[in-house]
Each structure stands twice: as structure tokens, then as C-alpha cells.
Amino acid sequence: MDKDNQRGGKYTVKLYVDIYFLFNFWLDFSVLFLTAQFEKEEGKYKRKGFSLKKGCLAAIVGALFGLFPPVFGWILPVRVFAYIAGMISMLLIAFGTTQMFQRIPVFLGNSALLGGILLAFPFRKDAIVIAGMTWMAVLCIKRFLGKLFYVQHIKQHLCEVLLEFEGIEKEAVGLWDTGNRLKDPYSKKPVIVVAEQLLGEYLDTAKKIAPQHYVLIPYTSVGGTGMLEGVRLTKTVVRTTEQEFLHTDVIAACGRKDLFFQKPYQIILHTELIPNVPFKQ
């Protein structure tokens, strides 16, 4: 491959496509991995679908786009197209379509970071250390702000909940969760997810004296599929700062311990239980 030099002559660059491809693959995967780490937040609201398999596939596609300039020429339009098309393709494969525009600046920042390390390394051997410390500092600040905003979000979506089953009443704090749309596939009743220590007595009672109200509910989530134990509640009352909602057609399912570990709530409500959404958004 011939290229012009600054003195008007030409020089020949020998490009090994396999090494060039592997280098781009490593670089693209590193940028995607940093992007996924940078976006991690508390709670399920920022859950991402990044995985090793998706990351490798996205990096392969990005590396293929990286071959465009040496194949079609190092002119500016080809380089711009290869970079933009490669970036969008990698993000779509690795993360999906959700929050694409919010993710692009993070991807570009990590690209600039790794590119800066590669350019500076021949002149400063501590370039990796300096860049790593800078990235960690930015990451810590973002994590702190993310957790702060997450806590505020949770506080705005908490409410009081009264459960009743076979004459046994329990009061707890519930979270109006925009992600819970789980329904019993047979009765089509909304399902709330309740902490085990709160629902345990109801489950025991249903198994002993009211088996007709004991149900198993299939579910699908990011972590996989399974069955949840549950009971058909006699009554569910949801109290917000402005309104009170009474429901008699709700099923309470037993949730995993990690869903409620160190959380200020014991119940994840179904979206239909508060139809008017009387919270700050």
C-alpha cells in the first residue's frame, strides 16, 4: 500500500490484515467492555444486556468495518463511514436499542481514552497508569451520582401497602415498579412480588388450610425462567401520599432474597395497582 509523505514522495506500508484485524478486535472489545462497566448502576433500572458472547460478536463486526479504509482507501469519507457504521453496529449488537443516544458519548469517551493511551505510550511509559487513574476517578464520581439519583428515584416511588389473606393482615413498604408487569397466565390477575419473610406465613397457611389459593406462577426475567410460589390475596390496599387503592384480585408471589437485600421496600407492586401514577417522574 503506497502513501504520500510530507516531502511529496511516496513510501510503501506493508499491512498484515490478520494482525490489523486482531488489533481492531481487541481495541473494539476493550471499548465495549469499558462502556458496559461505566454504565453499571444500582438497581434494575440500568440493567444492561452486555455479555461476553455479544461483546465478541460486536467486536468482530467492528473489526470488519475497520478494514474498510485499507481496502477502499484512507480517504476521509471512507474513514468516517467505517467509524460511524462500526460504532452503531457494535452498540446495537452488544447492548440493543435501549438508551442508544445516552450510550454513544460513553463509547466515544472510552475510544478517545484508549486511543490516547496508544498514542502517548511511546513517549510516556506511565500513560496507562495516568489514563487508568483518570478513568477510575470519573467512574467513581459517576457511580456516586448514579447511586444518589437512584436513591431519590426509589424514594419517590415508595408507598404503604396492606396485605390480607385468611384474616391475617400485614403492612409493609411497596415500590411502584415500572418493570413489573407479571400476570398469572391462567387467571390474568396482576402479580406483586413480596419478600420471603413477609409472605412465608401466607404460603404456609395456604398450603395447610387453603390450598385452592396456593398457586405457582411461571416467570421470565433477565436471569432466566422459573416458577414462583404465590397466594391469591383476599385484599390489597395501596396507599400513596394522595390516594388509596383497594384491590381484591391480586396474587402475591415470593421473590428472591437478593431482590430485597438492603432495600427500603419489601414489595414490588404491579403497574396496574396504581393506575394514575401519583408520583414524580
Side-chain angles (χ1 to χ4, degrees):
M1 178 174 58
D2 294 332
K3 297 189 70 174
D4 296 330
N5 60 25
Q6 295 179 350
R7 297 182 178 180
K10 291 183 178 293
Y11 63 95
T12 301
V13 176
K14 183 178 291 185
L15 182 67
Y16 296 94
V17 177
D18 53 347
I19 297 177
Y20 183 78
F21 177 85
L22 291 175
F23 177 77
N24 277 332
F25 171 83
W26 169 80
L27 194 62
D28 291 337
F29 183 84
S30 299
V31 173
L32 291 170
F33 178 78
L34 291 178
T35 302
Q37 297 302 310
F38 193 83
E39 289 192 341
K40 281 185 177 179
E41 298 285 357
E42 295 289 330
K44 63 190 291 186
Y45 298 99
K46 292 289 185 178
R47 215 177 256 168
K48 301 296 183 297
F50 183 79
S51 64
L52 179 62
K53 182 178 180 180
K54 291 181 180 179
C56 289
L57 179 60
I60 290 174
V61 173
L64 289 175
F65 275 106
L67 295 175
F68 273 48
V71 173
F72 298 102
W74 293 90
I75 57 177
L76 183 61
V78 173
R79 286 187 292 171
V80 171
F81 169 78
Y83 187 84
I84 295 178
M87 175 185 65
I88 294 176
S89 299
M90 286 189 291
L91 290 176
L92 287 174
I93 294 172
F95 301 101
T97 57
T98 57
Q99 297 183 332
M100 169 67 74
F101 293 107
Q102 293 92 326
R103 193 172 292 115
I104 288 177
V106 180
F107 181 90
L108 293 175
N110 288 321
S111 298
L113 176 69
L114 289 180
I117 293 175
L118 295 175
L119 291 174
F121 187 71
F123 307 99
R124 288 187 63 102
K125 300 303 181 183
D126 58 350
I128 296 178
V129 177
I130 295 174
M133 293 176 63
T134 303
W135 190 85
M136 289 300 297
V138 174
L139 178 62
C140 290
I141 293 173
K142 184 180 184 296
R143 290 277 179 89
F144 172 77
L145 293 176
K147 186 166 185 175
L148 181 64
F149 291 138
Y150 170 74
V151 171
Q152 293 299 319
H153 174 87
I154 290 296
K155 287 182 177 179
Q156 292 174 0
H157 289 74
L158 295 179
C159 55
E160 297 178 359
V161 182
L162 172 67
L163 306 179
E164 182 181 331
F165 178 70
E166 294 295 318
I168 305 173
E169 291 189 350
K170 292 180 179 291
E171 292 189 5
V173 177
L175 171 69
W176 179 77
D177 176 31
T178 57
N180 181 19
R181 294 178 174 83
L182 180 63
K183 287 189 175 183
D184 177 27
Y186 306 107
S187 64
K188 304 303 180 182
K189 292 182 178 180
V191 176
I192 63 175
V193 184
V194 183
E196 183 179 359
Q197 64 269 25
L198 186 65
L199 194 65
E201 185 178 0
Y202 285 175
L203 290 173
D204 293 338
T205 302
K207 293 176 182 178
K208 292 177 182 178
I209 66 174
Q212 69 275 16
H213 295 302
Y214 174 81
V215 294
L216 289 175
I217 306 159
Y219 74 94
T220 301
S221 67
V222 176
T225 60
M227 303 289 287
L228 296 176
E229 289 187 295
V231 296
R232 296 186 181 92
L233 297 173
T234 307
K235 180 176 66 175
T236 305
V237 180
V238 180
R239 302 189 186 98
T240 69
T241 55
E242 300 178 4
Q243 301 180 58
E244 180 175 297
F245 302 89
L246 172 64
H247 301 275
T248 58
D249 58 347
V250 176
I251 295 177
C254 187
R256 303 190 316 268
K257 292 182 179 180
D258 60 300
L259 288 176
F260 304 98
F261 181 68
Q262 294 184 344
K263 297 296 195 309
Y265 53 86
Q266 299 81 44
I267 302 173
I268 300 177
L269 298 173
H270 193 279
T271 54
E272 294 182 2
L273 300 192
I274 307 180
N276 297 325
V277 194
F279 296 102
K280 296 179 182 179
Q281 296 296 324

